[in-house]
Amino acid sequence: MIENFLSGINCIIDNKIIKHAPVLLNYIVFTDPEVERICIENWSSDGIGLTYEDAAAVIDLNNKFYENVSIVFFDELQYFTNLTLIGSNAFEGCTGLTSITIPNSVTSIGE
């Protein structure tokens, strides 16, 4: 199995798929662990991490962050490149949120 891993083929150790480094590089690295948890839970295609492709497929945040006081940073929103609308109250109650980077694709932000 180690030989397959080193050659770039996924391998299985203890019933978990271990991906080789080039695949891991496709995951977005989140600053905020709570934002990462929410994104993986709602939009990850593999349940392991959020890829740039996963983020680009999101067209609506559906208030997944609403009233989450644990969120501090969400600069990775910039990778949600097909998001055109941030709905009303999308981040209402996120009293700890200090930084967010809105993607250029957003043309409308609700209340």
Side-chain angles (χ1 to χ4, degrees), residues 3-4 11 18 28 36 43-44 46 49 68 71 80 95 98 101:
E3 293 168 5
N4 286 342
C11 63
I18 307 300
I28 296 171
E36 179 178 39
W43 300 298
S44 173
D46 63 10
N68 189 316
I71 296 170
F80 289 58
T95 56
T98 61
T101 302

Side-chain angles (χ1 to χ4, degrees), residues 11 43 63 67 69 77-78 91 97 101 104 109:
C11 63
W43 300 298
N63 289 337
E67 293 191 354
V69 297
L77 184 63
Q78 66 184 310
F91 296 101
L97 184 61
T101 302
N104 292 333
I109 299 176

Side-chain angles (χ1 to χ4, degrees), residues 61-107:
L61 297 179
N62 292 320
N63 289 337
K64 299 296 184 187
F65 302 94
Y66 181 78
E67 293 191 354
N68 189 316
V69 297
S70 301
I71 296 170
V72 179
F73 306 106
F74 194 7
D75 294 318
E76 300 80 15
L77 184 63
Q78 66 184 310
Y79 303 119
F80 289 58
T81 55
N82 283 313
L83 186 66
T84 58
L85 166 69
I86 297 177
S88 295
N89 308 313
F91 296 101
E92 180 180 346
C94 298
T95 56
L97 184 61
T98 61
S99 178
I100 187 168
T101 302
I102 297 171
N104 292 333
S105 59
V106 172
T107 57

Side-chain angles (χ1 to χ4, degrees), residues 10-19 48:
N10 296 341
C11 63
I12 299 174
I13 300 175
D14 295 330
N15 294 322
K16 295 179 183 176
I17 296 176
I18 307 300
K19 297 187 175 200
I48 296 171

Side-chain angles (χ1 to χ4, degrees), residues 17-61:
I17 296 176
I18 307 300
K19 297 187 175 200
H20 64 285
V23 172
L24 292 175
L25 294 177
N26 288 327
Y27 289 114
I28 296 171
V29 177
F30 286 87
T31 305
D32 189 308
E34 180 65 3
V35 170
E36 179 178 39
R37 181 194 67 75
I38 292 168
C39 289
I40 291 171
E41 183 178 289
N42 289 284
W43 300 298
S44 173
S45 58
D46 63 10
I48 296 171
L50 195 75
T51 66
Y52 293 94
E53 293 80 17
D54 292 336
V58 176
I59 58 171
D60 189 345
L61 297 179

